[in-house]
């Protein structure tokens, strides 16, 4: 079904839905819940530049290359080899009416992206389309207007359209990752784009800062720092110079924002043992959530905010429990092994990722929140810790010592396609994936 024309006004970038004379539809080509996912072959030829304009040609090539990279990063696609193309991307029709689809199915490409770039009036216009080569139909088309420097943003935006069209999920192209790095000589919190690019320093305490967590709207990061007299939680705005603190004595550790609310949970010790409390986004205590003999730490929330997984030593060693906010009861979730920590609840709600000591090393596992057998995702590659889900639940970021120093990696929700995201001076750890927070 054709969607109504839509215009999005962005800083230096405008996007519009392209008209299409036949019925274009959204299909669930890829079952992202399938652990044996078959990657879909997609062709992304170099986009056409009007009148062979050198400036437009450079932008066209950069945009198509960036889009191919982003689509590969998802783990859903394989990019068709340009050397196998039976069409010349610079002379072929890109609108659909003149595309010889059999030339694309012949090389195994089930999907095809075409694009055109025009430099006009000091700006650049982009036309991008996704075609199903088997059904010989356009799936989605967009026109963008901006500057030459917007080509990365255009690739990211259209990449999101492609992922949504074939999976029904908005993906993660509008997200960031916060993490800890000691490259400056101190453990500080940094930010980067979802793929490890555009690294920026967030804290400058010249101390130890750990355990960042994003608010649901992406405007705040809460974290633990030793910049004061002891470990305390800071709640800091991402772009403005606004900071809140928790006015309670004792240890403060590992904050976790409640989904959809300006509230967070954190482990505090002002009443004795470390217990988990619910706080306002300004650091005021609302109520106590856990109560036990032994410390309770590392909260993580279910997507609906009704349940909270956490780590407790109430059984004698660190295990993961689930607290129900309605009944007030906590039940043990993990039973295998004597060291299970760092739980992270999937945005889909169906799995909890965590770190566990296994055969003398730390690896990452997932488990159903209702219980059952855990699934091991990493093995025989150093220590692997601190899993954090992408906003669509398709990828997991984590830290690993598989190359010696601790670095940030990503893998699919099933443990495949494990790859390093970035390499910086020092070591990196404690990754935390943001929600999709960039402007649509």
């Amino acid at each position: 079904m054709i969607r109504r024309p839509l215009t999005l006004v962005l800083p230096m970038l405008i996007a519009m839905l392209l008209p299409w004379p036949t019925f274009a539809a959204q299909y669930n080509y890829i079952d992202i819940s399938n652990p044996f996912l078959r990657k879909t072959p997609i062709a992304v030829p170099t986009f056409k530049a009007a009148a062979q304009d050198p400036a437009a040609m450079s932008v066209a090539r950069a945009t198509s290359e960036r889009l191919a990279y982003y689509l590969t990063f998802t783990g859903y696609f394989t990019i068709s080899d340009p050397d196998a193309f039976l069409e010349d991307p610079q002379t072929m029709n890109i609108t659909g009416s003149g595309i010889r689809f059999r030339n694309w199915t012949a090389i195994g490409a089930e999907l095809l992206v075409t694009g055109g770039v025009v430099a006009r009036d000091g700006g650049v216009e982009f036309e991008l389309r996704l075609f199903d080569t088997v059904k010989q139909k356009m799936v989605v088309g967009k026109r963008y207007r901006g500057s030459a420097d917007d080509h990365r943003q255009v690739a990211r935006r259209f990449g999101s359209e492609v992922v949504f069209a074939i999976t029904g999920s908005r993906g993660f192209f509008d997200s960031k990752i916060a993490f800890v790095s000691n490259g400056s000589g101190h453990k500080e919190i940094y930010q980067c784009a979802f793929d490890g690019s555009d690294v920026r320093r967030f804290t400058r305490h010249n101390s130890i800062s750990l355990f960042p967590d994003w608010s649901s709207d992406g405007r705040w990061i809460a974290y633990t720092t030793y910049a004061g007299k002891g470990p305390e939680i800071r709640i800091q705005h991402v772009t403005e110079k606004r900071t809140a603190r928790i006015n309670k004595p004792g240890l403060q550790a590992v904050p976790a924002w409640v989904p959809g609310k300006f509230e967070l949970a954190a482990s505090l010790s002002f009443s004795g043992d470390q217990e988990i409390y619910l706080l306002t986004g300004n650091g005021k205590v609302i109520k106590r959530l856990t109560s036990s003999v032994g410390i309770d730490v590392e909260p993580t929330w279910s997507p609906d905010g009704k349940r909270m997984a956490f780590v407790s030593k109430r059984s004698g060693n660190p295990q993961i429990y689930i607290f129900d906010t309605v009944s007030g009861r906590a039940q043990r979730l993990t039973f295998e092994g004597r060291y299970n920590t760092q739980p992270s609840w999937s945005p889909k709600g169906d799995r909890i990722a965590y770190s566990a000591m296994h055969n003398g090393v730390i690896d990452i596992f997932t488990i159903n929140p209702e219980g059952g057998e855990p699934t091991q995702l990493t093995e025989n590659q150093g220590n692997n810790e601190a899993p954090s889900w992408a906003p669509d639940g398709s990828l997991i970021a984590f830290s690993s010592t598989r190359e010696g120093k601790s670095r940030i990696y990503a893998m699919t929700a099933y443990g495949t396609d494990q790859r390093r995201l970035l390499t910086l001076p020092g070591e990196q750890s404690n990754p935390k994936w943001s929600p999709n927070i960039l402007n649509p």
Side-chain angles (χ1 to χ4, degrees):
M1 180 173 62
I2 298 178
R3 290 181 289 177
R4 294 178 181 176
L6 176 67
T7 300
L8 301 176
V9 181
L10 308 165
M12 296 303 292
L13 186 64
I14 298 176
M16 294 173 287
L17 190 69
L18 287 171
W20 181 243
T22 61
F23 285 92
Q26 290 185 351
Y27 303 92
N28 286 327
Y29 291 90
I30 297 176
D31 180 6
I32 59 178
S33 65
N34 183 2
F36 304 105
L37 169 72
R38 182 187 73 87
K39 296 184 180 182
T40 300
I42 184 171
V44 188
T46 300
F47 299 153
K48 292 178 68 173
Q52 298 295 300
D53 175 60
M57 290 176 65
S58 177
V59 175
R61 179 174 295 278
T63 308
S64 56
E65 290 177 351
R66 180 57 48 174
L67 177 60
Y69 164 72
Y70 287 159
L71 294 178
T72 302
F73 190 90
T74 66
Y76 298 149
F77 305 97
T78 56
I79 306 299
S80 299
D81 183 2
D83 290 338
F85 290 172
L86 303 177
E87 297 272 359
D88 181 355
Q90 297 306 310
T91 60
M92 66 176 282
N93 180 284
I94 66 171
T95 63
S97 58
I99 293 179
R100 293 184 284 268
F101 288 106
R102 289 184 179 179
N103 284 341
W104 296 102
T105 56
I107 66 170
E110 299 173 16
L111 297 171
L112 167 67
V113 176
T114 67
V117 176
V118 179
R120 180 180 293 138
D121 300 328
V124 177
E125 293 184 1
F126 305 79
E127 284 193 13
L128 305 181
R129 295 173 174 85
L130 172 69
F131 293 95
D132 180 327
T133 62
V134 178
K135 297 179 180 179
Q136 301 187 8
K137 290 184 178 182
M138 186 178 82
V139 181
V140 67
K142 283 280 187 174
R143 179 182 290 118
Y144 302 89
R145 291 201 301 268
S147 70
D149 292 336
D150 287 326
H151 74 274
R152 285 175 178 262
Q153 191 177 9
V154 168
R156 179 172 56 79
R157 295 291 168 79
F158 193 71
S160 294
E161 295 290 343
V162 172
V163 170
F164 180 65
I166 69 166
T167 69
S169 169
R170 283 296 178 187
F172 48 77
F173 291 146
D174 291 330
S175 65
K176 296 183 178 182
I177 298 175
F179 62 94
V180 175
S181 178
N182 64 0
S184 67
H186 302 277
K187 287 191 174 182
E188 302 282 4
I189 294 172
Y190 291 72
Q191 301 177 42
C192 67
F194 69 90
D195 62 345
S197 63
D198 192 24
V199 176
R200 302 183 182 186
R201 185 168 169 177
F202 181 68
T203 63
R204 298 181 181 275
H205 294 311
N206 294 325
S207 182
I208 299 174
S209 297
L210 305 166
F211 311 120
D213 192 51
W214 298 82
S215 61
S216 294
D217 60 6
R219 296 181 180 180
W220 298 85
I221 294 178
Y223 58 94
T224 303
T225 184
Y226 287 75
K229 295 181 180 180
E232 65 175 4
I233 291 173
R234 302 277 178 93
I235 304 166
Q236 186 169 326
H237 198 277
V238 172
T239 59
E240 302 174 4
K241 294 182 179 180
R242 288 193 281 162
T243 303
R245 301 186 183 188
I246 300 171
N247 188 23
K248 291 291 183 182
L251 302 178
Q252 304 173 11
V254 196
W257 289 93
V258 181
K261 295 183 179 180
F262 193 55
E263 297 176 354
L264 65 160
S267 182
L268 310 177
S269 68
F270 68 90
S271 62
D273 282 343
Q274 283 183 263
E275 302 289 351
I276 297 175
Y277 291 79
L278 184 65
L279 312 167
T280 70
N282 296 319
K284 306 288 187 182
V285 173
I286 299 175
K287 62 180 178 180
R288 181 168 170 170
L289 297 179
T290 65
S291 180
S292 69
V293 177
I295 64 171
D296 295 333
V297 295
E298 297 180 349
T300 180
W301 292 93
S302 63
D304 61 8
K306 294 181 179 179
R307 293 190 291 172
M308 179 188 74
F310 65 99
V311 175
S312 179
K313 294 185 69 174
R314 61 187 66 186
S315 63
N317 48 64
Q319 298 291 344
I320 297 171
Y321 291 74
I322 293 183
F323 173 81
D324 188 295
T325 61
V326 177
S327 67
R329 292 193 296 268
Q331 292 185 321
R332 183 170 169 177
L333 177 64
T334 56
F335 290 88
E336 292 191 16
R338 297 177 55 82
Y339 186 86
N340 297 296
T341 64
Q342 299 177 319
S344 177
W345 210 311
S346 168
K348 295 181 180 179
D350 59 339
R351 305 294 288 177
I352 293 175
Y354 63 98
S355 302
M357 182 72 73
H358 179 69
N359 294 331
V361 296
I362 299 175
D363 277 305
I364 293 174
F365 295 74
T366 63
I367 190 170
N368 190 305
E370 310 307 323
E373 293 293 323
T375 300
Q376 186 170 352
L377 302 187
T378 62
E379 187 175 13
N380 299 326
Q381 296 189 83
N383 287 314
N384 302 275
E385 302 181 77
S388 177
W389 296 88
D392 67 343
S394 67
L395 298 181
I396 298 173
F398 62 102
S399 61
S400 176
T401 61
R402 62 188 61 190
E403 296 181 68
K405 293 182 177 181
S406 179
R407 304 291 188 200
I408 306 298
Y409 294 77
M411 61 182 168
T412 70
Y414 306 104
T416 60
D417 294 338
Q418 297 185 18
R419 69 272 200 187
R420 176 171 43 80
L421 292 186
L422 48 78
T423 298
L424 298 174
E427 295 189 297
Q428 292 76 53
S429 61
N430 291 148
K432 193 67 176 185
W433 221 309
S434 80
N436 279 318
I437 57 177
L438 302 182
N439 292 326

